Amino acid sequence: MEREAANKVSTDKLTRMKELAARLLPASRAYYQENREIMSNYEFDLLYDELAELERETGIVLAGSPTQKVGYEILSELPKEAHEAPMLSLDKTKEVPALQEWLGDQKALLSWKLDGLTIVLTYENGELVKAVTRGNGEVGEVITNNARVFVNVPLKIAYRGTLILRGEAVIRYEDFNRINEEIEDVDAKYKNPRNLCSGSVRQLNNKITAERNVRFLAFALVRADGVDFKNSRREQFEWLRTQGFEVVDYRMVTRETLPAAVADFAEAIVSYDLPSDGLVLLLEDIAYGDSLGRTAKFPRNSIAFKWADETRETTLREIEWSASRTGLINPVAIFDPVELEGTTVSRASVHNISIMQALELGEGDQITVYKANMIIPQIAENLTRSGQIRIPDHCPVCGGRTEIRQMNDVRSLYCINPDCQAKKVKSFALLASRDALNIDGLSEMTLEKLIAAGLIHTYADLFRLDRHAEAIISMEGFGQKSFDNLTAAAKTASHTTLPRVIYGLGIAGIGLANARMLCRSFHFDLEQMRHADEEELTAVDGIGEVLAQAWISYFSSDENNRLVDELLGELTIENGQEDSEEAVFEGQTFVITGSLHHFTNRRQLQELIIAKGGKAAGTVTSKTTYLINNDTASSSSKNKKARELGIPVISEEDFLKLLETGR
């Protein structure tokens, strides 16, 4: 009976190991090879740790076990190269006492565990000769040309021997956010800096790598012949600094000082600009560390510390469906507020329907939540798993029909209405842009979040954000300071001019210059302007039949007029001529060519001309009053055309003199 019971326990454990491997392998493949996530980091770590523990208990490691794989598979066309020695991953713990026990009476360096792509650099005779990625731990990809354009990798160093070092290629959050804001398609945006860095480092065209601002931070010196490091890892780190390398931030610790040091890093991660998923503890004594050897998977001279995720139990109140400009509608969990890592959180993205269904979420469920890497709120577990969430068949923004689409093994919800308000981010972005109302900090990415959350439906809503303070402050990427800055910028922008408002409406073909000409011609009377007929409009310089029809079409819509009136109710429009500028260039047209000395660029000069009542054109015609070119004797095509038509060619100095009199 005892043997049967033991066999049953062993069989049950083996079955569970197979189940865990079946769940972990696709998630690992998606994360490392395809730069996407099909389960949360929390869940992955939980299942991985369970599998590793079962392998220790049973002494069995199944073929293809996720615990035996290191890094991603080699898939690109970059050259491959085997490492001289396998690059091992680190054993890990989430408990500070376990770190102290591991350290014993030794000293060690405690540093950031950066979340990027591990790179091996080799220098010969003072020059960078090779850079290889970690790859699968045994074979990496040669990315030497790409490493040469990292922003902080020295191409030449003073040391003339053979130097081999390891470090992490990373991209700062600042650059990550900038690059993501430039990507219009929300589905194409990178999920995190690690994914962006991985793709950037392994580009076949290193011009793309250079544009991504990849940084390299050294964390291990492998070989430097002839240099006496006094048996000290710290000496190695500081020597690398003298050679021009940026080294990962570290603290020297003992068993006694370790807890305080970990706490300091935990406090710093909130504002740290480099992605980190934990800490690394590396023995200071090189010889002692090397004497410990290694296991099949881990070196014994270092260990990783992953943040022990602070979890809180709470009640799921609803799933809010967040729409984007591409039509993608993501589920967002709304739960009773809880304190996590020093802040109050009440919402967390669930990412897609597949994850939502895997968690079997339902309103009223008891869930546990945490902050991934102490920053991003996530659901850890669903304790009651009612699975009662209804997937909406209508878009929460426009009410249009939705459909579920499956790409690979991920199911997501989409709005199929081409006129969905959530897809109109561009129109709001134009109104908030510099030449329109100039709402500082209101980027397309921010607008997308606000629209998706149902906080912006009309233009006027841009100036009513204070009504949604709690919701905005709790949104991912926001906080009290960001909210205060945004509402202050909106308040400043609400004092504006009529031409800026008209330009910001996005009427086809009506640019800022046209808007200014219209306002002057109609004496800044919007009521008269929006009821003008084609004859009145085409009488304005620069407004032809096409623009006149676009204008008339826009203001023939009751809905457009309602939106404009509602917007005007939130604005303070300055009276009369913009900034009380005297229209000294009224009726005059200028063309600018060549380089400028007194103005930053042509746009700055054009804006001054327009502000003074003139018109800035791009082509010399019989209607041109002056051609501005500092090389007045040039034989350029514009100079030739001006001379043929008898149009004066003037320099910037001549223009500035004209500015005083207008003639």
Side-chain angles (χ1 to χ4, degrees), residues 191 216 254 303:
K191 302 301 182 187
F216 175 87
T254 63
I303 188 172

Side-chain angles (χ1 to χ4, degrees), residues 93-96 99 262 277-280 303-308:
T93 181
K94 293 186 177 183
E95 303 296 332
V96 174
L99 275 186
V262 171
D277 58 356
L279 304 173
V280 173
I303 188 172
F305 173 79
K306 299 203 73 173
W307 307 113

